[in-house]
Amino acid sequence: MGNAGESWDDEYDVVVAGSGAGAMAGALTAASGGLRTAVLEKTGVLGGTSAYSGSAIWLPGTRVQERAGIGDSAESARTYLRALIGDGTAAHREAFLETAPELVEFLEQDPAIEFEFQPFPDYYDAPGRMDMGRSFVPLPLPAERLGERAGLVRPPVDRDRAGRGHAASKPLVQGRALIGRLLLAISATGNGEVRTGTALTDLVVEDGRVTGVVATTADGPVRLRARRGVLLAAGGFESSAELRGERAVPGGAGWTMAPDGANTGDAITAATAIGAATGLLDQAWFCPGVLTPDGLPAFTLGFRGGLIVDGAGRRFANESLPYDQMGRRLAAAEGPFHLVFDARSKGLPAISVPPVALEEQVASGRWIEAGSLAELAAKTGLPADALAATVERFNGLAAKGVDEDFHRGEDPYDLFFTGGKPGLAPVDEPPYYAAEIVLSDLGTKGGLRTDPDARVLDGSDRPIPGLYAAGNTSASFTGPVYPGPGIPIGSAMAFAYRAVQDMRR
Ligand code: FAD
């Protein structure tokens, strides 16, 4: 804990730790309302995993869905969330639903911010579901609008991992557009200051109230006062092998999709040190991943061909399941897991971030190529008889066009990536391939317990004055469920907005 009574290096109304979508939305809310605001970012660039993301935003019943004429409403979203999550977090759900339209109206009032609906089905067959989804994305952002500040936004995954910046003369898209647009809007207020290379380590408490933070910088520690409040939106602890191990989060720190080393739970640790309560600590937004030549994962979704087998060479799930559900099946089964496909299907998923190329994967030895299934089994260590039987059974189902075992292709989500076909092509044309599949994630989703105004709670369920949390720093109100595309970012933004509204009261 930072010592009370020492002098401050800088004074703000609001200090935000982290610079993902929630942090930046919170900072904009504060700065545009006239509050002097600091965004502290541990790394050299802004945006974290949010910048890597597809930036689908699940905020239901807003003017964006109204413009698209898709018939979405807060009521149908309530029905859907309630069916999936129950009423255990009803107060958060209601706060989220009430905030969504107001937040989007607030954001779109800014000349830097504009959204459009993007079809992407909700993830569960439940009442209130929208088959083409209800999420939206920011419009691409021409790099010239950011000028030199474009370098402040974290580049796409493949370029970032290679130490490269944004591609010249291309607009920023997806998560980069979202962070870039929020950065433009914050800059235009004249009240927001972005401090990169500044990592929150401690919270300062005076008379029971959080009044500021201590952060490390290249020039040593700084103490920053936050007159109205501190918003912790610094991601989860997905990149900490130690914390993952302690809290038994399936997967691994080396397999997370978060930027290398960024999200190590610092904000959660700082808050628990002053008595904050935590929840859902073994949970993450899971996904299947394939390992790329550099050993890092690629987030994969929308398998259009092939089948996934466990260590015993058996299928164990509908390969087309929404990625978090597939991740949970991986966590419950025994690996190693392989996507087995053939020359015809090419096996490549519809979306892979970063993109993967068959030839490169095979050349690097990450994916195995073989002239027969028996050879594939020998090269991968899979039991040959079981693999042959599984593929034979799968090919029979493919011939019928019906997956009697796992119902692949029966849900609108499955069909979304396969042009309306069930994605059941037979695997019988050599060469055969095996791609190892690992349990990856898009971040942990357990963390600080909050009330519906994002106020961090102590062990007795009382808000800790001056302290707020959003995004993966907080325990998600969705529990172990991933309802639809854009829930992580949508909920992060909604609760960050509510946090700042509360600070202003
Ligand atoms: P982050 O966005 O990771 O931001 C946390 C930031 O805090 C980082 O910049 C980090 O460096 C910084 N930080 C960490 N510690 C400190 C500290 N001590 N002090 C200061 N700063 C600190 N979700 C969606 O909703 N829609 C999508 O379309 C979507 N697509 C995705 C696609 C990909 C490829 C990936 C990888 C994820 C996707 N997700 C999507 C998931 C989503 O991006 C994340 O779960 C979400 O963005 C996490 O937001 P956050 O603010 O909690 O963390």
Side-chain angles (χ1 to χ4, degrees):
M1 195 201 307
N3 293 327
E6 286 177 24
S7 62
W8 301 105
D9 294 300
D10 260 310
E11 302 206 8
Y12 300 92
D13 296 310
V14 177
V15 170
V16 180
S19 64
M24 296 292 273
L28 175 60
T29 310
S32 73
L35 300 180
R36 184 154 193 267
T37 303
V39 173
L40 314 186
E41 167 53 48
K42 173 179 176 174
T43 68
V45 282
L46 303 173
T49 319
S50 305
Y52 280 176
S53 80
S55 75
I57 304 173
W58 205 92
L59 286 170
T62 77
R63 54 200 257 168
V64 183
Q65 293 92 353
E66 202 176 304
R67 283 201 299 268
I70 58 164
D72 180 35
S73 68
E75 190 51 45
S76 71
R78 175 179 297 109
T79 303
Y80 181 65
L81 291 174
R82 201 167 180 195
L84 298 181
I85 303 164
D87 282 327
T89 52
H92 287 77
R93 178 192 69 218
E94 293 307 313
F96 172 71
L97 293 173
E98 174 193 292
T99 303
E102 181 183 323
L103 167 60
V104 171
E105 189 169 340
F106 160 72
L107 292 171
E108 285 202 327
Q109 268 167 17
D110 195 292
I113 300 178
E114 202 176 338
F115 300 113
E116 67 181 357
F117 171 71
Q118 177 177 271
F120 200 137
D122 282 336
Y123 294 164
Y124 285 87
D125 180 13
R129 176 194 214 178
M130 301 280 295
D131 282 355
M132 279 305 114
R134 43 174 49 106
S135 57
F136 53 83
V137 293
L139 296 186
L141 175 64
E144 310 80 75
R145 284 188 65 190
L146 275 168
E148 284 186 358
R149 280 170 298 183
L152 271 178
V153 178
R154 189 175 282 282
V157 184
D158 50 343
R159 298 186 69 91
D160 197 31
R161 286 181 181 171
R164 301 164 73 195
H166 299 276
S169 72
K170 283 201 179 155
L172 278 68
V173 297
Q174 302 184 330
R176 283 75 66 202
L178 181 61
I179 298 301
R181 286 181 177 280
L182 287 165
L183 175 61
L184 274 181
I186 292 169
S187 308
T189 65
N191 293 319
E193 190 182 328
V194 167
R195 301 176 69 139
T196 54
T198 306
L200 170 117
T201 54
D202 294 284
L203 295 163
V204 181
V205 181
E206 294 173 303
D207 298 329
R209 179 181 179 85
V210 172
T211 55
V213 307
V214 180
T216 56
T217 72
D219 302 323
V222 287
R223 283 169 54 87
L224 307 175
R225 184 174 180 198
R227 282 183 286 257
R228 298 288 185 108
V230 172
L231 170 60
L232 302 177
F237 56 92
E238 52 271 12
S239 294
S240 166
E242 191 187 332
L243 293 179
R244 287 183 82 114
E246 267 172 31
R247 294 152 184 185
V249 182
W255 290 345
T256 183
M257 284 299 302
D260 188 27
N263 295 342
T264 48
D266 307 347
I268 299 172
T269 303
T272 49
I274 64 156
T278 53
L280 279 184
L281 287 179
D282 59 349
Q283 292 295 322
W285 310 100
F286 293 110
C287 64
V290 295
L291 298 181
T292 55
D294 56 12
L296 296 170
F299 165 35
T300 50
L301 61 150
F303 290 101
R304 292 175 292 192
L307 61 151
I308 298 180
V309 297
D310 63 11
R314 289 180 304 230
R315 276 183 90 205
F316 57 96
N318 162 12
E319 294 82 354
S320 300
L321 278 175
Y323 47 89
D324 178 70
Q325 292 171 53
M326 187 61 189
R328 288 167 193 276
R329 299 294 197 286
L330 292 170
E334 285 288 328
F337 305 102
H338 289 90
L339 170 70
V340 174
F341 57 98
D342 66 353
R344 183 185 318 119
S345 69
K346 295 272 191 270
L348 296 175
I351 300 178
S352 158
V353 189
V356 292
L358 178 64
E359 298 70 22
E360 201 187 341
Q361 292 289 114
V362 171
S364 72
R366 286 279 163 208
W367 290 6
I368 309 289
E369 183 180 298
S372 68
L373 282 176
E375 187 191 341
L376 197 72
K379 285 182 166 172
T380 52
L382 283 166
D385 291 350
L387 179 64
T390 300
V391 172
E392 191 184 339
R393 167 83 185 156
F394 179 79
N395 288 348
L397 299 174
K400 283 192 211 170
V402 181
D403 180 6
E404 290 162 2
D405 295 344
F406 296 104
H407 308 284
R408 180 172 176 181
E410 292 176 16
D411 188 90
Y413 180 90
D414 302 4
L415 301 172
F416 184 71
F417 297 103
T418 54
K421 299 187 198 109
L424 291 171
V427 174
D428 58 4
E429 192 179 304
Y432 295 96
Y433 298 92
E436 191 184 350
I437 299 283
V438 298
L439 173 55
S440 179
D441 61 70
L442 310 177
T444 49
K445 68 185 312 200
L448 303 175
R449 293 194 50 234
T450 54
D451 75 1
D453 286 318
R455 300 186 295 178
V456 174
L457 301 175
D458 67 14
S460 310
D461 269 358
R462 283 181 314 233
I464 299 175
L467 189 62
Y468 300 79
N472 292 345
T473 302
S474 61
S476 172
F477 83 98
T478 61
V481 181
Y482 197 145
I487 276 276
I489 287 180
S491 56
M493 292 171 78
F495 287 106
Y497 178 78
R498 290 186 70 88
V500 175
Q501 303 290 22
D502 192 77
M503 291 181 202
R504 290 164 69 174
R505 281 197 269 274

